[in-house]
Amino acid sequence: MSDLFSPFQRLGLKLLNHQFCRTLMIVSLLFLTSSCASWLQPTLQQDIVEIQAGEYKLDKDHAVLLFKINHMGFSSYVGRLNAFDVSLNFDPNDIENANIEAVIDMRSIDVNNPDFAATLRGTAWLNTESFPQAVFRSVSVEKIDNEQLRVQGDLTFLGVTKPVTMDAKLNGAANNPLTRIYTMGFTANLRFKRADFGLKKFIPIVGDEVEIEIHSEFQRR
């Protein structure tokens, strides 16, 4: 009788060995992947005064610009501006004279609704045919603490230029192990009243205050 079942026993052992080897291989791959991921994580410098001086360009593959505006008190209406560029000239020993310029293509507005985006691009709202760009240029920069900067600047929007304040937080800086380029990341917020720039449509049903939120990485040239 034992001879009758021996082929099945051998088959069972083979299956167990195969399953064991497969499990061992998966665990090994997961371990190697985890080890590689840890190796790729850079050690970030998070003190502004330790950042390398120089000119920086925006890494457009790792940047997003959002806008938020109150909608009837129910919610914040959130959209994106998909095409923008930022240049930064920075020296940690001369922070006050750091230079920041952002140029935003207003035609790139994206609210996840193509028809409404077309309406917003029209003359009743953003009038992007006459004013295709909005521009922010820094005037002065103040260091608040090791991670925070306050940037006073001029915003040109709908052909009107007004002073605004932008708060920026350093997320960290290091050599990117993938690109081998010195990179730093910032999160920035800016608020302004659209009525100051002549855009008063539907206030207060649609809020007057607009919040701009930028998440960005910069590469040293």
Side-chain angles (χ1 to χ4, degrees), residues 81 100-106 126 130-139 152-165 190 192-194 196-198 212:
L81 288 152
I100 304 166
E101 180 175 286
V103 180
I104 305 162
D105 186 344
M106 300 304 297
L126 299 177
S130 297
F131 306 105
Q133 292 182 337
V135 179
F136 172 84
R137 293 186 177 93
S138 63
V139 174
Q152 306 293 340
D154 290 329
L155 175 64
T156 300
F157 175 53
L158 294 174
V160 178
T161 300
K162 295 281 186 179
V164 295
T165 300
L190 175 131
F192 65 91
K193 293 186 181 298
R194 60 190 179 96
D196 291 343
F197 297 84
I212 302 294

Side-chain angles (χ1 to χ4, degrees), residues 137-148:
R137 293 186 177 93
S138 63
V139 174
S140 64
V141 180
E142 176 188 2
K143 179 177 178 287
I144 303 301
D145 58 32
N146 289 344
E147 298 179 352
Q148 305 277 347

Side-chain angles (χ1 to χ4, degrees), residues 119-137:
T119 297
L120 291 175
R121 284 190 287 268
T123 55
W125 287 96
L126 299 177
N127 192 8
T128 59
E129 185 173 342
S130 297
F131 306 105
Q133 292 182 337
V135 179
F136 172 84
R137 293 186 177 93

